[in-house]
Amino acid sequence: MAGGGADGGGCSSVEPEGDVAVACEALRLLRIEPSAFGPGAGRAGGTARCSRNVLRKRRRWERVLAAKKGKRRQERERSRARWAEGPGAASRDGGRALAALAKERLLEAKVSGPRLCVDLGVADRMTQKETSRLASQIRRLYGANRRAKKPFWLCLTEFVVGSLIYEECFRMNDGFSNYLMDTTQESYLDLFPLDAIVYLTPDSENVLEDIDPNKVYILGGLVDESIHKKLTLQRAQEQSLQTARLPIREYMVKNVNTKNYHSETLAINQVFDVLSTYYDTQSWPAALKAGVSSGKGYVLRDAVK
């Protein structure tokens, strides 16, 4: 579990002595605000700074949410204006206009759209071959998001300079440095409040019912060929995060196949195809059809009637 960033750990920016240092570190690991123990719980400096960092991160997220609401109103007005010009207005100017529109949508998503982070803190568990495949999946995920009518704002977290996944992303993906998304060496734990984070894992007992633009969705940066049983679920539980899985079992059934193979584990770009289609259509059957390939051994319930 990563921590200790400028906004995340809080206690690392000061040097309390003796028992105060030990207590502050213990509270940080447990994610308990020192102020919760009352005004006499700690001597002046260390605990107050821990609490202030938590409050500062919370206020920053509240400002982001407030900006989202205003941006959504502006987007609705722009959509009405574009529709008034006619559905073919963008295509008349050719590729440049389409590229400009895609850029505009991505930048709007940065302010008002839901956030999707790829957690690369688990990428060191893969071989070089698997890491190359993950870099390819990141490229496909970004391309699909760029084409989406209602894109997410993407972020690669724990994207450490010099790491294997860092090198592979730049080696395999032309123009990677120009991708309109965030990359950071920090953990998502240092960037967002805990109650805003939902870790998506096929092993969760909770079903994802809707996409909330005010939430931050996390995908584990592992290729689907890797066998890491319940790794992402354990990681999320250790970090006290909400978890959810795609509603595959609720809308799909196992299909008979020669290999008797059935898997709910999808590549990150396939998970994104499901999320993106649902965000646009508000239809889980349409979303699952778009992202769950027949090779996974599942088909929509209606397809077997």
Side-chain angles (χ1 to χ4, degrees), residues 74-91:
Q74 295 176 16
E75 169 58 16
R76 285 194 294 269
E77 292 171 0
R78 278 196 290 267
S79 295
R80 284 193 290 267
R82 284 196 294 266
W83 182 254
E85 294 174 359
S91 61

Side-chain angles (χ1 to χ4, degrees), residues 234-266:
Q234 292 170 358
R235 181 170 170 83
Q237 289 174 336
E238 289 170 0
Q239 296 170 343
S240 301
L241 299 176
Q242 304 171 66
T243 63
R245 62 173 174 80
L246 297 177
I248 294 176
R249 301 171 212 167
E250 285 66 30
Y251 292 91
M252 307 187 85
V253 294
K254 292 180 179 179
N255 190 31
V256 178
N257 58 73
T258 56
K259 296 182 179 179
N260 195 29
Y261 174 76
H262 306 91
S263 176
E264 296 180 41
T265 302
L266 308 180

Side-chain angles (χ1 to χ4, degrees), residues 209-249:
E209 297 180 352
D210 199 3
I211 293 176
D212 184 348
N214 296 327
K215 294 291 187 181
V216 180
Y217 297 95
I218 311 295
L219 299 181
L222 290 169
V223 298
D224 54 343
E225 290 87 352
S226 298
I227 305 300
H228 297 288
K229 188 68 175 175
K230 296 188 176 181
L231 173 63
T232 51
L233 178 63
Q234 292 170 358
R235 181 170 170 83
Q237 289 174 336
E238 289 170 0
Q239 296 170 343
S240 301
L241 299 176
Q242 304 171 66
T243 63
R245 62 173 174 80
L246 297 177
I248 294 176
R249 301 171 212 167

Side-chain angles (χ1 to χ4, degrees), residues 2-304:
D7 292 325
C11 295
S12 60
S13 60
V14 295
E15 298 182 358
E17 299 179 354
D19 293 341
V20 174
V22 175
C24 187
E25 176 64 12
L27 292 173
R28 183 187 69 79
L29 293 173
L30 291 171
R31 297 199 167 274
I32 299 174
E33 294 188 23
S35 58
F37 290 89
R43 296 200 300 271
T47 57
R49 287 179 175 83
C50 286
S51 181
R52 281 200 297 271
N53 279 328
V54 173
L55 290 174
R56 184 160 54 247
K57 184 164 65 173
R58 166 63 60 184
R59 291 189 185 116
R60 182 177 65 184
W61 184 242
E62 288 173 350
R63 287 196 296 272
V64 170
L65 295 183
K68 282 173 179 279
K69 293 179 181 178
K71 197 68 178 178
R72 287 188 199 114
R73 287 195 297 270
Q74 295 176 16
E75 169 58 16
R76 285 194 294 269
E77 292 171 0
R78 278 196 290 267
S79 295
R80 284 193 290 267
R82 284 196 294 266
W83 182 254
E85 294 174 359
S91 61
R92 284 195 293 268
D93 295 328
R96 289 185 180 180
L98 292 175
L101 180 59
K103 181 177 181 180
E104 178 186 354
R105 286 172 174 166
L106 287 172
L107 294 177
E108 287 169 354
K110 184 175 185 179
V111 177
S112 59
R115 279 163 165 72
L116 184 71
C117 297
V118 179
D119 172 20
L120 298 176
V122 293
D124 59 351
R125 298 171 184 263
M126 295 184 296
T127 65
Q128 181 164 355
K129 180 180 179 181
E130 292 170 333
T131 303
S132 297
R133 290 177 177 172
L134 177 61
S136 178
Q137 291 175 11
I138 289 173
R139 181 185 69 245
R140 291 198 290 270
L141 190 160
Y142 176 78
N145 191 52
R146 191 172 182 275
R147 294 188 298 271
K149 294 179 180 178
K150 296 173 63 178
F152 288 63
W153 183 250
L154 304 179
C155 181
L156 305 183
T157 59
E158 297 191 56
F159 189 59
V160 179
V161 174
S163 65
L164 183 56
I165 185 60
Y166 179 93
E167 299 294 342
E168 287 299 282
C169 280
F170 278 94
R171 182 182 71 85
M172 297 184 62
N173 303 335
D174 291 339
F176 181 80
S177 59
N178 295 321
Y179 281 12
L180 283 175
M181 64 180 183
D182 287 332
T183 60
T184 177
Q185 299 192 72
E186 292 185 278
S187 165
Y188 45 83
L189 298 173
D190 300 321
L191 302 173
F192 311 106
L194 286 183
D195 57 6
I197 298 174
V198 179
Y199 207 117
L200 299 178
T201 167
D203 300 307
S204 177
E205 295 180 356
N206 308 313
V207 179
L208 182 66
E209 297 180 352
D210 199 3
I211 293 176
D212 184 348
N214 296 327
K215 294 291 187 181
V216 180
Y217 297 95
I218 311 295
L219 299 181
L222 290 169
V223 298
D224 54 343
E225 290 87 352
S226 298
I227 305 300
H228 297 288
K229 188 68 175 175
K230 296 188 176 181
L231 173 63
T232 51
L233 178 63
Q234 292 170 358
R235 181 170 170 83
Q237 289 174 336
E238 289 170 0
Q239 296 170 343
S240 301
L241 299 176
Q242 304 171 66
T243 63
R245 62 173 174 80
L246 297 177
I248 294 176
R249 301 171 212 167
E250 285 66 30
Y251 292 91
M252 307 187 85
V253 294
K254 292 180 179 179
N255 190 31
V256 178
N257 58 73
T258 56
K259 296 182 179 179
N260 195 29
Y261 174 76
H262 306 91
S263 176
E264 296 180 41
T265 302
L266 308 180
I268 60 169
N269 57 294
Q270 293 174 321
V271 176
F272 176 77
D273 288 343
V274 174
L275 297 176
S276 178
T277 303
Y278 176 79
Y279 190 46
D280 183 35
T281 66
Q282 297 294 295
S283 168
W284 280 119
L288 293 167
K289 184 177 181 180
V292 182
S293 66
S294 59
K296 292 297 179 180
Y298 282 89
V299 295
L300 291 171
R301 292 182 183 277
D302 292 345
V304 295

